[in-house]
């Protein structure tokens, strides 16, 4: 497809794709700008989806008028249209050029427990929120409403630069904001009866933007939104759906909502901040979030338990107390738990290599392997990506990977970085990486090319027997498998692709199967997909669930471990065993006795000793009787 920008033809090259949302594809123009191109009704992402095709027609029609009169004078932290992209005759608006942001993370990442644990300090989060507060106020002062304010539409660069993107959906003049994100949707926009579910029947406003900002504050500071957790009413008649919780204001402040374990405790925030959040989400207070509440936050890390808090004393333990010594072995019902490792620092990464558990942790200003050996000195950095292979440690950031081997200087190699994530993976025998349109692995005499892949866009995973890769760029979608020992790959796989913005990906392997987990934002909702792919590339089963629906798939895509045709999933209430049965994925057994030892944010690995649970500071091995 070609578009015209400032009188010049621009060919859309999938290898230059920067990202994909539910409504548009974004490409690198190579001059410090990015090009956002709206998906037409015939886009491959909308194949077989008549409702999405109709919405695309309506959206494109409005953009013909809206983008030609887009307001000027918005604050510099708004990534606004710089030039319109059109057809050759300049009659139809197809998209627009905008400032390209480098080295950014969506605000959503700061609300993920794993990202915070990896070094995103609460003090930095406060600075980001204050910067965002100022930008939002300036947008409102210009007579514009964001409308679809959410944590994927805010990108964070540097220490605290917070940018608002997707400005084409802003609300101004007679143009209403047509989109919304359920997690940030002001329930006052739903009307008094709520008969239309979570579809708003009132337009966005400065007040609804303020509500969404309060959600971002809570999610970013506590790693849980107002309607997180699991509602477990004592009365069966009180049970309700996720939408019902929003309509009835059943939040994490409700006594019958089980607070999520991976989240930071409510008590880590001062009472005045918690009181304000309660008034917004339970009592329907609206207005500008009080800036002094954020400016007054001063976080510190407890010397005993490591929890960051903004109180005079740690809310989770006695001041200056020593860490409690947990029993080496605990038994609860049918589960025996044995503590394998504990640190006052933070566990960063773990892997299973032929049944042998290997791990990396950060303590005393350095990253260390399981034997205490220092592999890299420095503060915790959440932008680093890790892999372990024997006593070798690989660390990647952006387009570079360093191979850290004992007694040798670091070996550095360039890799592709789709959406900023370095494309590399390891198993016990080889390391694999994508660069320059090729998939490579280390061989006996140097790098060997496994096969050809889409340059700059390939995501890569590998297990003991085979690997899996895929790309989604512009109108292209493709996936492939490859044998872990032989050269060559099998491409052209047909996967049940999500249509929206991909926000998280994970993959676990065992035997002849790969369990691929995809999280997307689409139509205002967060959806979790599971696709089981065989070593021959055949899709053996697939399933989809809405985030937070209480099912095994509704949790975050971590805390899962494959065992042949079975999958163990960690939740806040224990373990769930899922089995592949005749092309379907079925939860067949619960292990509630595992509840004290697991949570939805831990990692699971099947090793020789049993099922290893990797938490924030401890590794525990479980055996189920």
């Amino acid at each position: 497809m070609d578009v015209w920008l400032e009188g010049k033809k621009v060919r859309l090259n999938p290898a230059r794709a920067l990202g994909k949302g539910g409504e548009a594809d974004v490409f690198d123009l190579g001059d410090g700008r990015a090009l956002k191109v709206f998906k037409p009704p015939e886009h491959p992402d909308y194949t077989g989806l008549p409702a999405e095709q109709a919405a695309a027609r309506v959206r494109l029609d409005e953009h013909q008028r809206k983008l030609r009169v887009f307001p000027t004078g918005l604050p510099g932290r708004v990534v606004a249209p710089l030039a319109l992209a059109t057809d050759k005759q300049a009659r139809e608006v197809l998209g627009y050029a905008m400032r390209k942001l480098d080295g950014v993370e969506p605000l959503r990442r700061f609300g993920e427990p794993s990202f915070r644990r990896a070094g995103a300090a609460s003090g930095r989060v406060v600075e980001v929120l204050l910067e965002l507060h100022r930008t939002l106020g300036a947008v409102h002062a210009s007579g514009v409403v964001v409308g679809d304010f959410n944590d994927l539409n805010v990108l964070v660069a540097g220490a605290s630069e917070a940018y608002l993107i997707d400005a084409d959906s802003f609300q101004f003049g007679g143009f209403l904001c047509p989109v919304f994100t359920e997690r940030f949707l002001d329930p006052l926009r739903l009307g008094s009866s709520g008969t239309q579910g979570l579809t708003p029947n009132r337009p966005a406003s400065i007040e609804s933007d303020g509500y969404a900002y309060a959600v971002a504050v809570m999610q970013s500071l506590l790693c849980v939104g107002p309607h997180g957790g699991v509602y477990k009413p004592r009365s069966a008649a009180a049970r309700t759906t996720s939408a019902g919780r929003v309509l009835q204001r059943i939040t994490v402040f409700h006594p019958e909502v089980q607070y999520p374990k991976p989240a930071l405790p409510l008590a880590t925030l001062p009472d005045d901040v918690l009181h304000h959040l309660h008034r917004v989400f339970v009592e329907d207070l609206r207005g500008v979030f009080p800036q002094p509440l954020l400016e007054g936050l001063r976080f510190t890390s407890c010397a005993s338990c490591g929890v960051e808090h903004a109180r005079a004393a740690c809310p989770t333990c006695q001041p200056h107390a020593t860490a409690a010594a947990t029993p080496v072995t605990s038994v609860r019902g049918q589960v025996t738990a044995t503590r394998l490792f504990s640190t006052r620092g933070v566990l960063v990464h773990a892997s299973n290599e032929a049944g042998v558990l290997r791990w990396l942790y950060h303590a005393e200003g350095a990253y260390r392997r399981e034997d205490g050996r220092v592999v890299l000195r420095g503060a915790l950095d959440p932008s680093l990506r890790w892999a372990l292979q024997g006593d070798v440690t690989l660390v990647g950031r952006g387009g570079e990977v360093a191979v850290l081997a004992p007694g040798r200087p670091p070996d550095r190699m360039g890799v592709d970085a789709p959406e900023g994530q370095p494309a590399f993976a390891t198993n016990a025998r080889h390391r694999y990486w994508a660069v320059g349109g090729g998939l490579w692995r280390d061989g006996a005499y140097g790098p060997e090319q496994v096969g050809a892949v889409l340059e700059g866009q390939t995501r890569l995973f590998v297990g003991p027997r085979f690997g899996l890769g895929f790309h989604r760029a512009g109108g292209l979608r493709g996936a492939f498998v490859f044998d872990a020992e032989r050269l060559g790959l099998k491409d052209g796989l047909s996967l049940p692709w999500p249509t929206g913005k991909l926000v998280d990906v994970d993959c676990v392997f065992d035997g002849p199967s790969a369990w691929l987990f995809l999280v997307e934002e689409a139509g205002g909702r967060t959806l979790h997909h599971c696709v089981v792919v065989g070593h021959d590339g055949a899709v053996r089963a697939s399933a989809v669930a809405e985030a937070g629906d209480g099912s095994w798939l509704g949790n975050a895509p971590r805390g899962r471990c494959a065992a042949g045709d079975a999958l163990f999933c960690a939740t806040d209430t224990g373990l769930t065993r899922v089995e592949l049965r005749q092309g379907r994925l079925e939860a067949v057994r619960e292990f509630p006795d595992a509840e004290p030892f697991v949570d939805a944010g831990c990692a699971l690995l099947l090793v020789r000793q049993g099922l290893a649970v990797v938490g924030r500071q401890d590794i525990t091995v479980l055996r189920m009787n």
Side-chain angles (χ1 to χ4, degrees):
M1 177 180 176
D2 296 330
V3 301
W4 273 256
L5 186 67
E6 299 169 322
K8 297 179 180 179
K9 184 170 74 171
V10 177
R11 174 148 292 177
L12 304 182
N13 182 359
R16 304 283 292 179
L18 292 173
K20 174 185 285 291
E23 301 176 357
D25 295 313
V26 182
F27 300 86
D28 187 356
L29 286 172
D31 61 359
R33 297 183 299 172
L35 177 65
K36 182 172 184 176
V37 180
F38 303 115
K39 296 178 184 178
E42 61 273 14
H43 194 285
D45 286 352
Y46 298 149
T47 301
L49 302 171
E52 283 77 358
Q53 292 170 346
R57 291 188 189 94
V58 172
R59 192 162 49 243
L60 278 171
D61 179 65
E62 181 174 71
H63 285 322
Q64 305 311 306
R65 296 167 284 117
K66 181 178 182 179
L67 291 182
R68 296 183 192 275
V69 294
F70 194 85
T72 59
L74 291 173
R77 292 286 191 256
V78 173
V79 182
L82 299 175
L84 297 184
T86 68
D87 61 0
K88 187 175 182 178
Q89 292 75 29
R91 294 173 182 168
E92 183 178 7
V93 175
L94 303 175
Y96 59 88
M98 59 188 175
R99 176 181 176 183
K100 177 176 172 282
L101 302 175
D102 295 311
V104 294
E105 294 279 6
L107 183 62
R108 181 191 185 107
R109 293 277 281 150
F110 291 82
E112 297 174 358
S114 59
F115 190 72
R116 295 291 289 282
R117 187 166 60 238
S122 297
R124 181 187 176 197
V125 176
V126 172
E127 292 303 314
V128 170
L129 292 171
L130 283 169
E131 168 94 5
L132 187 57
H133 191 284
R134 290 186 283 268
T135 298
L136 186 60
V139 169
H140 290 162
S142 69
V144 174
V145 171
V146 173
D148 187 27
F149 183 103
N150 66 76
D151 53 9
L152 286 175
N153 285 353
V154 178
L155 298 183
V156 180
S160 62
E161 297 175 9
Y163 292 86
L164 286 170
I165 64 170
D166 290 345
D168 50 273
S169 66
F170 282 9
Q171 181 170 295
F172 59 88
F175 299 102
L176 299 180
C177 177
V179 291
F180 63 92
T181 301
E182 284 189 357
R183 292 182 299 118
F184 291 81
L185 178 61
D186 184 351
L188 294 183
R189 294 182 60 194
L190 301 173
S192 58
S193 65
T195 55
Q196 299 181 41
L198 294 186
T199 300
N201 60 11
R202 297 178 182 176
S205 63
I206 290 177
E207 288 72 25
S208 65
D209 274 0
Y211 173 90
Y213 178 83
V215 175
V217 168
M218 185 174 188
Q219 181 72 49
S220 302
L221 291 177
L222 294 174
C223 298
V224 63
H227 300 99
V230 179
Y231 180 44
K232 291 186 172 181
R234 285 183 287 271
S235 168
R239 293 174 185 167
T240 187
T241 62
S242 298
R245 283 187 58 185
V246 174
L247 296 169
Q248 298 174 48
R249 314 300 194 263
I250 301 174
T251 71
V252 291
F253 297 106
H254 194 285
E256 293 180 320
V257 170
Q258 178 179 325
Y259 194 76
K261 288 183 183 180
L264 298 174
L266 285 171
T268 57
L269 295 182
D271 288 340
D272 55 355
V273 176
L274 293 175
H275 178 64
H276 182 77
L277 294 174
H278 186 278
R279 292 192 66 196
V280 172
F281 301 127
V282 180
E283 302 171 21
D284 288 340
L285 175 70
R286 295 295 180 267
V288 177
F289 195 96
Q291 190 169 328
L293 289 182
L294 294 176
E295 293 173 333
L297 290 174
R298 297 291 183 272
F299 282 90
T300 186
S301 294
C302 176
S304 299
C305 67
V307 167
E308 278 192 302
H309 64 89
R311 289 180 175 263
C314 179
T316 60
C317 65
Q318 294 297 319
H320 313 301
T322 57
T326 57
V328 173
T329 300
S330 302
V331 178
R332 176 172 174 173
Q334 297 182 329
V335 175
T336 300
T338 303
R339 178 163 47 84
L340 186 65
F341 174 79
S342 185
T343 176
R344 287 182 177 270
V346 177
L347 282 155
V348 175
H349 184 78
S351 66
N352 168 21
E353 203 169 271
V356 176
L357 182 65
R358 305 189 187 280
W359 64 87
L360 177 81
Y361 66 102
H362 187 277
E364 299 174 350
Y367 289 94
R368 303 170 183 269
R369 287 294 297 269
E370 56 270 9
D371 57 2
R373 168 174 50 92
V374 174
V375 296
L376 184 67
R377 295 194 179 276
L380 275 168
D381 185 347
S383 69
L384 300 178
R385 300 295 180 266
W386 300 90
L388 309 178
Q389 185 186 49
D391 60 0
V392 176
T393 306
L394 289 83
V395 55
R397 177 165 54 193
E400 185 177 59
V401 173
V403 182
L404 311 175
R408 299 203 300 268
D411 181 20
R412 301 183 185 278
M413 58 185 185
V415 300
D416 287 344
E419 298 196 35
Q421 303 303 310
F424 74 105
T426 66
N427 61 16
R429 292 179 57 85
H430 296 287
R431 51 183 177 262
Y432 306 80
W433 65 97
V435 67
L439 172 62
W440 302 81
R441 77 172 189 193
D442 56 334
Y445 304 104
E448 301 172 333
Q449 185 168 358
V450 179
V453 298
L454 183 60
E455 181 178 358
Q457 303 299 327
T458 299
R459 296 177 185 249
L460 187 63
F461 308 91
V462 68
R465 289 182 53 179
F466 74 103
L468 171 69
F470 72 89
H471 64 259
R472 293 173 75 238
L476 297 181
R477 300 178 294 180
F480 59 88
V481 293
F482 59 95
D483 189 275
E485 296 301 324
R486 303 186 187 95
L487 300 181
L489 52 82
K490 180 179 180 180
D491 58 11
L493 273 59
S494 179
L495 301 186
W497 291 106
T499 62
K501 181 176 179 58
L502 207 56
V503 296
D504 203 356
V505 183
D506 195 24
C507 189
V508 295
F509 293 80
D510 191 65
S513 296
W515 299 65
L516 177 66
F517 299 97
L518 307 170
V519 180
E520 69 161 332
E521 286 278 343
R525 299 186 300 160
T526 303
L527 301 177
H528 291 199
H529 301 259
C530 175
V531 185
V532 184
V533 182
H535 65 95
D536 58 355
V539 174
R540 304 183 64 196
S542 65
V544 63
E546 190 166 350
D549 67 355
S551 71
W552 65 272
L553 188 52
N555 286 321
R558 300 294 185 268
R560 293 164 185 168
C561 173
D565 284 346
L567 185 77
F568 287 98
C569 305
T571 71
D572 284 357
T573 58
L575 287 171
T576 300
R577 179 185 172 97
V578 178
E579 291 186 359
L580 175 59
R581 293 183 173 181
Q582 298 179 334
R584 295 172 50 186
L585 298 176
E586 300 179 5
V588 297
R589 187 177 177 187
E590 304 286 340
F591 296 91
D593 291 337
E595 183 271 333
F597 315 110
V598 301
D599 61 62
C602 69
L604 297 181
L605 297 163
L606 192 61
V607 295
R608 292 171 183 170
Q609 301 98 314
L611 189 63
V613 180
V614 183
R616 184 179 187 274
Q617 294 180 303
D618 300 279
I619 299 176
T620 304
V621 175
L622 305 184
R623 286 188 173 274
M624 274 75 75
N625 302 323

